[in-house]
Amino acid sequence: MMINQNEIIELFESRSRVVLVHQVNQKASLGTLSESDITMPPAGGADFVDIEISDKTNWKAESPNAWIKPINSATRAGSGRVDFTVDPNNSVYPRSGTLDIAGNSLVIQQEGYKASLEKSSSQFRPGGGGFTLKVNTEANALW
């Protein structure tokens, strides 16, 4: 039995159309960092972390914090070493930031400089009084 062209068109148009959708959800290849967090001194300095990741996976190191700077921020592939520097923290307050590498976040804690208080002796009379409090900091840090 042969079906002519008009019968094919009529058969096709009489059927409801079906749209098939195929969705693939693939988790990004994150790799593994040798450290998850690092503590740096107030003076700052340089350090590194290693990443183990597939040779076929491209990644880069970036920081949303201006005081954390990857030495090489170009896109790379495969396992390797990520060198970075941390600017001095000229404050008595500690701070925290991240270096983002291939979907992983290396948390970088930076200590603040030490501070001490020095109070002169004082006596208060019934009418009140005052005293002097001196703040001493390492490296003339801000407070």
Side-chain angles (χ1 to χ4, degrees):
M1 176 172 133
M2 296 250 322
I3 300 176
N4 68 36
Q5 182 178 0
N6 288 338
E7 291 173 320
I8 292 173
I9 292 172
E10 184 180 316
L11 183 62
F12 179 79
E13 289 178 349
S14 70
R15 307 271 185 217
S16 61
R17 296 192 180 158
V18 176
V19 177
L20 298 176
V21 176
H22 179 74
Q23 183 174 349
V24 176
N25 294 321
Q26 185 175 358
K27 193 173 183 180
S29 176
L30 299 177
T32 305
L33 298 179
S34 60
E35 305 283 338
S36 60
D37 60 90
I38 291 177
T39 300
M40 297 292 290
D47 208 338
F48 70 92
V49 65
D50 292 313
I51 181 167
E52 189 175 319
I53 196 166
S54 165
D55 289 341
K56 297 177 182 175
T57 303
N58 292 333
W59 56 271
K60 62 189 309 186
E62 301 173 298
S63 178
N65 309 99
W67 53 276
I68 301 172
K69 298 176 178 80
I71 301 294
N72 182 355
S73 59
T75 299
R76 299 163 59 183
S79 299
R81 176 174 155 154
V82 180
D83 293 288
F84 61 91
T85 61
V86 173
D87 291 345
N89 179 6
N90 298 320
S91 165
V92 298
Y93 304 104
R95 61 184 175 180
S96 180
T98 60
L99 180 61
D100 301 322
I101 307 164
N104 295 284
S105 289
L106 172 67
V107 177
I108 299 173
Q109 307 279 345
Q110 187 176 28
E111 300 167 342
Y113 282 103
K114 294 187 181 346
S116 63
L117 300 177
E118 190 179 307
K119 180 184 99 109
S120 63
S121 62
S122 59
Q123 287 188 322
F124 293 103
R125 297 190 177 127
F131 69 93
T132 302
L133 183 65
K134 184 177 179 183
V135 178
N136 298 310
T137 65
E138 293 178 328
N140 296 317
L142 303 172
W143 54 277

